[in-house]
Amino acid sequence: MSGTSTDFSAPSALPAFARLAGARLRAVLPDRAVLATMGRSPRKDLLAGLTVAIVALPLALGFGVASGAGAEAGLATAVVAGALAAFFGGSDLQVSGPTGAMTVVLVPIVHRYGTAGVLTVGLMSGVLLIATALAGGGRFMAYVPAPVVEGFTLGIAAVIGLQQVPAALGAKAPGAENVAVTAWDAVTDFVQHPHPAQLALAAGVAAAMLIGARLRPGVPFSLLAVVAATAVTGLAGLDVATIGHLPAGLPAPSLGFLRLADVPQLATAALAVAALAALESLMSATAADAMSVSERHDSDRELFGQGLANLVAPLFGGVAATGAIARTAVNVRSGAASRLAALVHAAVLAVVVFAAAPLVAGIPLAALAGVLIATAVRMVEVASLRALARSGRGEAAILVLTAGATVVFDLVTAVVVGLLVAGALALRQVARSAALTRVPLHEGLPPADHHAEEQALLAEHIVAYRIDGPVFFAGAHRFLLELAETAEVKAVILRLSRVSTVDATGALVLGDAIDKLERRGILVLVSGAREDHLRTLDALGVLDALRADHRVFAGTPEAIEYARRRLKESLPAVTAKDNRPAAPRPCTTTTTKETR
């Protein structure tokens, strides 16, 4: 039978895709070697996990309250997300849970969509993180410039501190979009209706943490200060706001919060949460590597673990989580040897949830505000900020703009602004590295077999230029148009062997410079262009006229010899007596110091 036939023996694309997906999934799941590390030093891991849990308890409560989802949400996040990220993540030493940076992003979502919206965003961000891990996107997170990271860390610290002002003052403030406005309203209300007891509690807890960390870094002053504040509140009968009733245990997993109609509206917020979770988690894992001797995290596996944690935590009422730099540092310094320590940390917090909920309920909100204010202060690395400020005005500008945008707008806008400014400054630096250099004509020339007078005369009419660096949109116009304005000569040789890259814009500007020289009657020759650059130039027809006249050469000597022949044919005969050559004119188009 004639016509098109179907080859049913050909392998289907679907099984091939399934095999590829299966291979990627196996690559991000923990293997036997990873799990075997949990038996290396169980005693060290148990002690480290207990220490981290003591530090993490007030932070989990505080960030849960600060996010607007409640203290129980913070505890659920620390338990569920902390355990899943520890087991499935890519770092043996990472500790995950609710963080200040994530709180900054979640607060406006709570105000606009309520707790259900926050849980939906966490679920969606988990899906995005898992997809990023399976696509191998972990490696791209390393390209965020240091000034952007330091800038939004500084901005986050400022936002966290401003968020705690109402609770620390015991003042009422309308829920404005901007935290600075809310903090100012709280200060105004406090002046009119002062609450000295809550201010004293917040200031006392913050001072105890900051001073204690300097005197005895290994002591968990955050927990001790919160316990002391709770005891003082109860014994003195202070009329201050407390956490209130907490459920004894985690709720049953449920998707009751999910409203599919809200998903499109929450997509942008979910993307922002996923990006922040990826960035902060990989930063924390990198910091853990630096603090340990032989540890090295797997970026894609870490993203997968964080994605799974954020996918499951909302089912139990938890908010979005990330790797926590402060808790990870405590884990490493406490002697953790494997991911068992982070699992112990989650287990200890689970015991608190199930057994000590009544005790936690009496903690004053002002005390938690003090914990977060002290945490915000400790987030600011003054030495790093000074070093970046001294490194250059560009880096300082990126840092300030990113921090300012974090406070005035939001974290996503801040990161975008920082990356755009950093990219623009980087392009500027790369563009400045490009140079047009006039080189001596005898470079690459074969042994002279002409009279000195003729050589000098030819040297006055042939100019060789070497282009160094990138020829691309950001810098091509600067020197290639200068090339077109070169002094009166008969021939110009463009040496392209040191060109690092050529894009379409740079190629077109180069073609424009060649056309202008040709219209002035100047013979243009090209030498030394690499094959990949020639493909770009030929695709845009930049060298068509030169190729037709055989004026594209592999090496400079051939180009010089060709120019000599053409000029000998066109120049009138001269004698040393009647036409002595003038001294070579100084170069007027060299833009950088001549280099070989």
Side-chain angles (χ1 to χ4, degrees):
M1 183 176 63
S2 61
T4 303
S5 62
T6 303
D7 183 7
F8 291 101
S9 64
S12 170
L14 187 59
F17 175 78
R19 287 195 297 271
L20 179 61
R24 283 300 305 157
L25 183 59
R26 288 192 296 273
V28 297
L29 287 173
D31 52 28
R32 290 183 179 179
V34 170
L35 299 179
T37 61
M38 290 194 291
R40 288 188 301 195
S41 301
R43 181 176 297 178
K44 288 184 177 180
D45 287 334
L46 288 172
L47 292 175
L50 180 60
T51 303
V52 176
I54 293 172
V55 173
L57 177 58
L59 293 176
L61 294 169
F63 288 133
V65 173
S67 70
E72 62 273 19
L75 283 174
T77 305
V79 173
V80 178
L84 288 172
F87 187 82
F88 291 97
S91 171
D92 285 340
L93 304 176
Q94 177 96 288
V95 178
S96 300
T99 63
M102 189 59 74
T103 299
V104 172
V105 178
L106 296 180
V107 168
I109 301 174
V110 171
H111 287 163
R112 186 171 300 178
Y113 300 102
T115 304
V118 170
L119 299 181
T120 303
V121 165
L123 189 76
M124 295 168 63
S125 69
V127 174
L128 291 174
L129 286 170
I130 291 173
T132 303
L134 294 177
R139 62 186 181 275
F140 296 112
M141 295 300 168
Y143 297 116
V144 179
V148 176
V149 174
E150 293 290 342
F152 81 67
T153 301
L154 176 61
I156 287 167
V159 172
I160 292 172
L162 291 170
Q163 283 177 342
Q164 305 315 308
V165 171
L169 298 179
K172 295 180 180 179
E177 287 285 333
N178 188 272
V179 291
V181 175
T182 301
W184 176 254
D185 291 340
V187 171
T188 303
D189 182 77
F190 179 80
V191 171
Q192 297 173 354
H193 309 94
H195 301 277
Q198 298 202 160
L199 177 59
L201 288 174
V205 170
M209 287 181 61
L210 295 174
I211 297 173
R214 286 182 173 274
L215 299 178
R216 295 289 182 89
V219 178
F221 281 98
S222 58
L223 183 63
L224 295 178
V226 169
V227 170
T230 304
V232 168
T233 299
L235 293 175
L238 299 179
D239 183 18
V240 297
T242 62
I243 289 178
H245 173 72
L246 286 179
L250 296 175
S254 171
L255 279 172
F257 61 86
L258 182 62
R259 293 193 295 267
L260 295 179
D262 293 341
V263 169
Q265 302 175 24
L266 295 171
T268 303
L271 184 62
V273 169
L276 176 60
L279 182 61
E280 190 172 14
S281 297
L282 294 181
M283 284 171 48
S284 178
T286 302
D289 292 346
M291 288 185 287
S292 58
V293 178
S294 59
E295 295 297 329
R296 184 174 178 82
H297 74 277
D298 184 314
S299 296
D300 290 331
R301 187 173 287 171
E302 180 62 27
L303 291 183
F304 180 81
Q306 295 295 336
L308 194 60
N310 281 286
L311 183 67
V312 177
L315 305 182
F316 294 90
V319 296
T322 75
I325 296 177
R327 275 157 274 177
T328 299
V330 172
N331 192 40
V332 176
R333 291 166 184 161
S334 299
S338 73
R339 58 190 65 208
L340 178 61
L343 288 170
V344 170
H345 138 269
V348 172
L349 293 179
V351 171
V352 172
V353 171
F354 283 96
L359 297 177
V360 173
I363 296 176
L365 293 179
L368 294 181
V371 170
L372 298 188
I373 290 173
T375 301
V377 172
R378 293 169 62 179
M379 286 176 65
V380 180
E381 295 286 346
V382 178
S384 297
L385 296 179
R386 285 177 179 171
L388 282 174
R390 289 195 300 264
S391 65
R393 288 181 295 179
E395 284 74 9
I398 295 169
L399 190 151
V400 171
L401 285 172
T402 306
T406 302
V407 176
V408 176
F409 302 107
D410 55 64
L411 191 61
V412 179
T413 303
V415 172
V416 170
V417 168
L419 289 176
L420 287 176
V421 175
L425 292 177
L427 283 176
R428 182 186 178 195
Q429 290 297 107
V430 172
R432 284 184 172 182
S433 69
L436 178 70
T437 307
R438 180 171 174 174
V439 295
L441 189 64
H442 59 76
E443 279 192 14
L445 203 75
D449 54 359
H450 301 278
H451 296 295
E453 294 85 355
E454 183 184 11
Q455 289 290 331
L457 183 60
L458 290 174
E460 283 212 356
H461 293 281
I462 304 176
V463 176
Y465 288 100
R466 185 180 66 229
I467 301 177
D468 298 273
V471 180
F472 74 132
F473 71 95
H477 293 80
R478 180 173 59 86
F479 62 87
L480 290 180
L481 294 183
E482 180 185 352
L483 170 65
E485 307 268 330
T486 190
E488 288 295 334
V489 294
K490 295 296 183 182
V492 170
I493 300 172
L494 299 179
R495 299 174 59 175
L496 307 183
S497 59
R498 295 194 183 181
V499 172
S500 58
T501 185
V502 178
D503 73 348
T505 303
L508 291 173
V509 175
L510 177 61
D512 185 49
I514 293 173
D515 288 343
K516 288 182 178 180
L517 292 172
E518 295 268 310
R519 284 197 296 270
R520 290 169 52 195
I522 298 175
L523 179 70
V524 179
L525 305 94
V526 169
S527 71
R530 286 165 29 187
E531 283 297 325
D532 54 334
H533 298 162
L534 285 175
R535 283 194 294 271
T536 302
L537 297 171
D538 289 338
L540 297 170
V542 173
L543 303 180
D544 287 354
L546 275 63
R547 285 193 181 280
D549 199 24
H550 306 290
R551 284 184 278 147
V552 178
F553 301 91
T556 303
E558 297 93 327
I560 296 176
E561 187 61 31
Y562 180 91
R564 289 176 58 194
R565 287 200 312 270
R566 289 285 294 265
L567 290 186
K568 282 178 62 178
E569 295 170 359
S570 61
L571 290 176
V574 295
T575 64
K577 179 179 179 180
D578 299 328
N579 294 286
R580 294 180 181 178
R585 286 172 292 184
C587 172
T588 60
T589 57
T590 302
T591 59
T592 62
K593 185 178 179 180
E594 183 175 321
T595 56
R596 297 279 302 191

